[in-house]
Amino acid sequence: MNYKNFQTFTATQKGAILTVDINFGPVNVQGQEMLADLSSLCLRLERDRSIKVVVFESSNAGYWVCHYDTDLLKDLSTEALPRNEVQLLDLQSVLERLSNVPQATIAKIEGFARGGGHEMALALDMRFAARGKAKFMQMEVGMGILPCGGGASRMARQAGLGKALEIILGARDWDADEAEKFGTINKALDADKIGPYVDALAERISKFPAESIAACKRAVYASIDLPIKEALREEAYQLFQATSKTPAVKRFQYANDNGAQFDHENQKNWEQMVIDIQEVN
């Protein structure tokens, strides 16, 4: 798959990992150009099983994605629409599509991620932030609107109701350590450690079957909104989606034939064994 000709970022494939390096203008503003690029990227990722992990980072010092373009916001309608006439906004649609790509997606944040930029990070599967560099904010309430790129919808899923409202209504900056406490990121790391940590995680995930990664994502995301019995049925459904397309059963057969589950050393070293068994096809 060709990952070229983007305006707001470059995309570089190394093995099964695609690194998206955002660098657009002075502050990585999230405007029509970036939305078009993200939509084009999603179209390619949806069709590409050679990519298993996508890491989003920025080489624009001080910025991950600053916020949504105010040039677009100034044209918002001032008329209240009936509920049955409302359609998804462009930002909502693009970020929802990004959230649903079959690959594991990771945000490596070493600068400002505010407004729509923070909402983009929330739409990814995992988020890691550098201490002393990352800053987050949802400023919309102070402007007279609300987070409308999925922020109001995804924030409580990540942080819980009380924290989500503190973040959204407080409209202030918070740093990497606060973000970890809030639950809006997976982990805060020192600036010199975030790169090796994310690289190691991406490399590990990239060794696993693409269809298994996609099935895990679908089951976990479905569990947020479904009652437990329906969520369990979804797990079962996704299990057979995976076994129909991956060598899982062959690997279980191999483990069984070799007495792997009864081996004390294997029981101590499952972390490595799940990597080693990738050779069984």
Side-chain angles (χ1 to χ4, degrees):
M1 187 69 70
N2 184 318
Y3 289 97
K4 296 180 180 179
N5 300 319
F6 299 111
Q7 296 183 69
T8 59
F9 52 73
T10 59
T12 306
Q13 181 175 358
K14 183 178 180 181
I17 301 170
L18 186 74
T19 300
V20 174
D21 179 7
I22 307 164
N23 196 328
F24 182 58
V27 295
N28 288 353
V29 72
Q30 187 185 56
Q32 291 175 323
E33 299 88 350
M34 187 175 293
L35 294 186
D37 279 351
L38 289 172
S39 185
S40 178
L41 176 67
C42 289
L43 177 64
R44 302 177 209 199
L45 291 173
E46 288 159 359
R47 301 177 179 183
D48 189 357
R49 290 300 182 270
S50 72
I51 299 292
K52 301 179 185 180
V53 186
V54 187
V55 177
F56 290 81
E57 60 185 28
S58 171
S59 58
N60 194 343
Y63 298 94
W64 191 72
V65 176
C66 69
H67 51 68
Y68 195 66
D69 192 347
T70 58
D71 188 48
L72 302 177
L73 291 169
K74 69 179 175 56
D75 295 324
L76 283 172
S77 172
T78 57
E79 298 293 327
L81 290 175
R83 192 179 294 274
N84 62 355
E85 292 183 14
V86 172
Q87 297 181 348
L88 289 185
L89 305 170
D90 289 345
L91 181 58
Q92 291 175 318
S93 297
V94 171
L95 294 186
E96 178 64 4
R97 189 175 187 183
L98 181 61
S99 183
N100 287 324
V101 297
Q103 294 81 6
T105 56
I106 302 173
K108 185 171 76 171
I109 303 168
E110 300 174 273
F112 292 134
R114 292 179 169 136
H118 184 243
E119 291 174 296
M120 177 175 160
L122 290 174
L124 301 179
D125 300 328
M126 292 162 273
R127 291 153 296 282
F128 300 91
R131 293 188 177 100
K133 291 187 174 183
K135 288 285 186 182
F136 305 93
M137 185 184 192
Q138 296 292 161
M139 72 287 281
E140 292 85 355
V141 68
M143 304 299 290
I145 60 170
L146 71 156
C148 49
S153 304
R154 290 191 173 93
M155 194 81 70
R157 287 171 164 82
Q158 289 295 139
L161 288 171
K163 289 296 183 185
L165 287 167
E166 179 183 347
I167 290 166
I168 292 170
L169 298 181
R172 67 169 180 85
D173 275 338
W174 70 97
D175 63 18
D177 285 308
E178 283 184 289
E180 183 176 1
K181 291 176 182 177
F182 283 154
T184 53
I185 65 168
N186 293 63
K187 192 177 183 67
L189 296 124
D190 292 340
D192 62 340
K193 295 181 179 178
I194 187 170
Y197 187 94
V198 170
D199 290 347
L201 177 61
E203 183 65 30
R204 183 174 179 82
I205 295 171
S206 74
K207 296 182 184 300
F208 305 138
E211 293 299 336
S212 180
I213 293 169
C216 287
K217 280 189 59 169
R218 289 191 293 263
V220 171
Y221 278 116
S223 73
I224 295 171
D225 298 313
L226 295 175
I228 184 62
K229 286 188 178 180
E230 291 182 37
L232 292 173
R233 286 178 63 85
E234 181 68 17
E235 278 188 17
Y237 171 77
Q238 294 299 340
L239 167 67
F240 298 116
Q241 296 302 302
T243 58
S244 69
K245 298 175 182 177
T246 73
V249 172
K250 291 181 180 179
R251 292 173 178 177
F252 287 124
Q253 184 67 55
Y254 174 87
N256 192 65
D257 291 346
N258 289 274
Q261 66 182 334
F262 302 113
D263 187 294
H264 291 296
E265 289 304 311
N266 281 338
Q267 292 296 336
K268 294 176 183 177
N269 294 290
W270 264 100
E271 183 175 346
Q272 183 58 42
M273 192 167 76
V274 295
I275 299 295
D276 294 340
I277 206 166
Q278 299 303 307
E279 300 299 320
V280 179
N281 293 307

